[in-house]
Every structure is written in structure tokens, then in C-alpha cells.
Amino acid sequence: KKLGICATAIKKVCRKMGIMKWPYQKLKPIERRLAKLRTSVWDTAQGTAMASEVQQEIYYLEAKRAELLHGNDVHVEGIDDA
């Protein structure tokens, strides 16, 4: 509404430019999971095996988020399966 055009027009332009799907639906659960993991890293003792696993998952999800933002459609196990 702020742009003065309807959503359908925006979708048509996006499809012409090669953006077939808006990544929001896939980004939202990834960003929620990242937020939870980032707070849990600080809640757990630094340097423990659990903190290391959490950090590893954060790196994985950040990479998937970056792929989505750059237009690559990815499958994120545990998030897309729901």
C-alpha cells in the first residue's frame, strides 16, 4: 500500500526478475531459531560441548539464511519438515 501498487503487480515484477517465491516464509522460522540459539549460547557455559554444538548450528542456520537471501532455495532439516 505504501508503494501505491498492489501485491500482484509486485509479484509479477519479481517473477520477471527471477524471484519465484518470496523467501519470508522460509526466513521467519530460521530467524526465530537463530534468536533462540543465540540466547542459549550465553545461558550455557562457554567452552562446553553443548555451547560448541549450539554455535555450530548457528553457523549452519546463518549460511542457510544467506543462501535464501541470495535467491537460492534451500531445504533446512527440522524447519521445512514441519
Side-chain angles (χ1 to χ4, degrees), residues 45-57:
Q46 294 292 330
T48 65
M50 189 170 160
S52 175
E53 289 176 18
V54 170
Q55 193 64 40
Q56 217 172 2
E57 188 173 352

Side-chain angles (χ1 to χ4, degrees), residues 25-39:
Q25 293 297 327
K26 290 187 178 187
L27 283 173
K28 190 172 153 183
I30 291 173
E31 289 176 348
R32 268 196 317 260
R33 181 75 178 138
L34 278 169
K36 286 181 184 178
L37 288 172
R38 287 181 178 131
T39 58

Side-chain angles (χ1 to χ4, degrees), residues 17-28:
M17 296 180 71
I19 303 170
M20 295 300 141
K21 288 188 174 183
W22 207 254
Y24 177 76
Q25 293 297 327
K26 290 187 178 187
L27 283 173
K28 190 172 153 183

Side-chain angles (χ1 to χ4, degrees), residues 2-4 8 13 15 29-30 40 42 47:
K2 289 181 181 181
L3 295 175
T8 304
V13 171
R15 288 188 183 110
I30 291 173
S40 72
W42 297 115

